[in-house]
Amino acid sequence: MAARTLLTEGLVISRDGLSYELRRRIGSRLQFETIQTGEIIDLTEASFFDELQSRRVVIIPVVSTEKELALHPDQLERPYDPPRVMDLSEIENEKAKADLMLRIRYILHMRRLGISRGCLDLLKDEIPRAASDLKDEKPPAASTLSRWMRIYADSNDDPYSLLDRRAIPAERKRRSSEHQQIIDDILEEQYLCTHSQPVSSIYHEYEQRLRTFNQSLVEANRPIEIKISERTLYRIVGELDRYEVLVAQHGRAEARRKCRLIKGHLPADYPLEYVEIDHSLVDLFVIDDQLFIPLGRPWITIIRDRFSGAIIGLYISFSGPRVDSIFGALRHSIYPHTNTPAFFHDIENQLPWGLATTYVTDRGADFLSERYRLAVLQLGSHYEYCAARTPWFKGPVERFFRELSYLLETMPGKTFPRLDLRKDYDPAKHAVVRFTSFVWILYKWVCDIYNNSLSERKHGRPLDLFNEGIEKVPRVFPHNPEVVETLLGTRHSGSLRHDGVRKHHLHYGNSTQLADLFRWKGGKSSKVTFHLNENDLGQIRVLDPRTREFFPVPCLRPEYAEGLSLLQHNLIRDTARRNYGDKITDESLWKSRELIQAQIVDELERKSTSPKKQLARYAGINSNQVIAGESSSIITAVEKPVSAPSDPGDSSDLGPSITTKPSFGWSVL
């Protein structure tokens, strides 16, 4: 089932056990008709998405037209059961995944040119050019591509429909780090150099080195390493960054010349056709909300719509440029934000939102990761990259960060690009802007100033251009919030036993679906795959190998795990292990929290800002936390609920809590 859904007439939903069809849309109001009784209900667009995210509303994947509704009568007699989520990253066949991604890119290429699947002559004429752009040496025939386009469209743009069904999941034999080091050393010495050797010669050298290494393993009574094939070595070489290979073999100037023809800035014809994502380190020291100590400089991740120039997503944290930061910005940009703190009501305009057709990024390691690329594809979108070391291809994003720097340059705590400009000014000592206040300032500036400032180049204000354009194009959004939560999680595997699944010393069970899977396995311990949100250990999503779909399984200690991040959990356990041995109990975890509190108090007394920034990362301080109305302070790092013993004793504390109202601007707090 595809992840995307159009908010347009004919949309069918399930709400409170009844099925509804969207009959008309009047401005921001949606009028639904009950299929069973014909009753009419009105929902605002904001309330519709609130109910969608709270799971009260569920999208039903059926085709509704003026003549017919493809909904079986049996579905009207019982509440609709939404399908479980599938993730293509679980497919182990790398060639099948590569072929799938190539097929989707062919289809998107033809759609971008307006060529339908029935225009075989146009397809035949365009396929060679598309193959050249995609670097495909074996392009499909026009009839084959037409069939792919039909299957993809009939499945509502579900990537899973184009997967080669022969791609049976299988256990891949992992190479040891020593084995991988042999391969890396040979490539460094004989391929990534000015006198590079052909891969066939490199493979012979690899065989000799691996033979010698295996002899040493036999002498040490260790299992030998399985030799990779020459084809695998070719694949490893093919996965190397082409630009870096050219730099190593021919120099940076020649690499720039050869890579100059990489696709750059393409214009957008409507909102959300192309959006750009990028990170930047903010030129401002911020302080803790409650302790008033400098935390350091936060990172900001933005998502910008190319058509209108409007910012549609923001994520601010201390984690740096990571995949989790990208996913935080994506979560913020996909759905509208109606449940905001009271002090956000001073902001007059809301950020635009929506799921983009194509996400454009640079070639950072986080954007090149398979986890990011597969998540984007399975959300029904596409990804593109700017050429390596060509920041001029994303100039508007760079200009946003420059204007943000102008906004911050008069604030206390502003940093300087060079030490000679700073002189005796210490930004950490002069910092007075709290993290929550900084988030409010940034949102106020983006929503009411940046998105509302006249753009001479675009002849209009970004927010107006976006709103006018989106009225002409149906809104696209993920049909099921579970899709977002599953695809933006991390993949793990573990044993399914009679007591459930164990991960990070936490047990997950109490699920009828998990019990059914255990019975299907014959009541024996077996491996299962699951996804975990590292910012909330309250539940996991387990993959059912029979259907390739995911279902949620809660933690058996919800009072401890809900809202607890993996970073916090590991620190609590490490502290308990150092002080109480390997046997971890609820009482030892409680006492470990007290020790962490004492350690944080010690860190707070230091002058260095670096430990404070680590504590801010440990506490999970980020802008989505502020928008949700949660506390954004280091204190929250040690106030996560822990199963306390009946008599915890005389526990230490950080002193009386400071609960001042968020202050905006940059006056001394």
Side-chain angles (χ1 to χ4, degrees), residues 102-172:
L102 187 62
R103 292 176 182 182
I104 295 176
R105 298 186 72 182
Y106 268 112
I107 294 173
L108 295 176
H109 179 93
M110 298 305 171
R111 285 184 176 181
R112 198 173 294 125
L113 297 178
I115 302 177
S116 65
R117 66 175 184 261
C119 303
L120 294 180
D121 291 339
L122 293 179
L123 289 175
K124 185 177 181 180
D125 182 61
E126 183 60 29
I127 283 176
R129 286 188 287 271
S132 177
D133 290 344
L134 299 176
K135 297 180 174 56
D136 182 16
E137 298 179 355
K138 297 181 179 180
S143 58
T144 301
L145 180 54
S146 175
R147 178 169 54 85
W148 292 348
M149 297 172 72
R150 175 182 57 79
I151 294 173
Y152 194 59
D154 291 346
S155 67
N156 194 22
D157 292 0
D158 185 1
Y160 197 80
S161 64
L162 294 177
L163 180 68
D164 189 341
R165 291 302 185 266
R166 294 172 295 179
I168 302 175
E171 281 292 325
R172 289 179 53 187

Side-chain angles (χ1 to χ4, degrees), residues 301-354:
T301 303
I302 69 161
I303 302 182
R304 177 187 179 274
D305 176 56
R306 181 178 289 177
F307 172 82
S308 63
I311 301 299
I312 67 171
L314 290 171
Y315 185 77
I316 309 165
S317 71
F318 293 88
S319 299
R322 304 170 55 193
V323 175
D324 291 335
S325 299
I326 304 172
F327 287 171
L330 286 174
R331 285 191 186 97
H332 176 246
S333 66
I334 289 175
Y335 289 116
H337 298 280
T338 55
N339 298 323
T340 55
F343 58 85
F344 264 60
H345 295 169
D346 296 332
I347 299 176
E348 299 176 4
N349 301 283
Q350 291 187 355
L351 283 181
W353 59 274

Side-chain angles (χ1 to χ4, degrees), residues 89-90 92 171 490-496 501 517 526-531 540-545 548-551:
S89 64
E90 307 308 324
E92 299 288 349
E171 281 292 325
T490 55
R491 179 179 181 270
H492 299 277
S493 64
S495 296
L496 172 58
V501 179
L517 179 60
S526 58
K527 289 287 185 180
V528 292
T529 298
F530 57 91
H531 281 198
I540 61 176
R541 289 174 171 82
V542 178
L543 172 68
D544 190 330
R548 308 303 300 172
E549 298 174 346
F550 287 83
F551 58 89

Side-chain angles (χ1 to χ4, degrees), residues 25-41:
R25 179 178 179 180
I26 307 173
S28 62
R29 301 194 63 83
L30 308 174
Q31 192 174 86
F32 288 90
E33 179 181 341
T34 314
I35 297 174
Q36 288 92 333
T37 64
E39 178 187 358
I40 301 295
I41 64 170

Side-chain angles (χ1 to χ4, degrees), residues 381-441:
S381 301
H382 185 45
Y383 61 87
E384 283 189 0
Y385 297 107
C386 296
R389 292 169 177 80
T390 54
W392 51 86
F393 281 151
K394 50 188 180 74
V397 176
E398 301 297 337
R399 282 194 294 273
F400 170 85
F401 292 132
R402 184 184 62 190
E403 293 184 31
L404 175 61
S405 180
Y406 294 158
L407 170 72
L408 304 177
E409 65 182 2
T410 60
M411 293 187 186
K414 169 72 168 64
T415 60
F416 296 88
R418 299 198 313 269
L419 290 177
D420 60 319
L421 296 177
R422 192 178 76 174
K423 298 180 181 179
D424 60 346
Y425 179 83
D426 187 348
K429 290 183 179 180
H430 290 79
V432 297
V433 180
R434 290 186 292 173
F435 181 78
T436 299
S437 299
F438 172 69
V439 172
W440 183 91
I441 292 168

Side-chain angles (χ1 to χ4, degrees), residues 584-601:
I584 307 298
T585 63
D586 289 348
E587 183 177 359
S588 63
L589 290 177
W590 181 268
K591 292 182 178 180
S592 297
R593 188 181 73 171
E594 295 179 347
L595 292 174
I596 294 172
Q597 287 177 322
Q599 180 182 359
I600 289 181
V601 171

Side-chain angles (χ1 to χ4, degrees), residues 523-594:
K524 297 181 180 180
S525 177
S526 58
K527 289 287 185 180
V528 292
T529 298
F530 57 91
H531 281 198
L532 175 69
N533 182 355
E534 295 186 356
N535 292 320
D536 186 354
L537 303 182
Q539 69 174 3
I540 61 176
R541 289 174 171 82
V542 178
L543 172 68
D544 190 330
R546 298 167 294 182
T547 61
R548 308 303 300 172
E549 298 174 346
F550 287 83
F551 58 89
V553 178
C555 180
L556 297 181
R557 294 176 58 196
E559 74 284 352
Y560 172 79
E562 287 182 359
L564 188 75
S565 72
L566 179 60
L567 183 65
Q568 295 165 344
H569 174 62
N570 287 338
L571 180 57
I572 292 173
R573 285 195 56 84
D574 290 344
T575 304
R577 188 180 297 108
R578 286 195 303 270
N579 293 277
Y580 306 106
D582 293 333
K583 188 176 181 181
I584 307 298
T585 63
D586 289 348
E587 183 177 359
S588 63
L589 290 177
W590 181 268
K591 292 182 178 180
S592 297
R593 188 181 73 171
E594 295 179 347

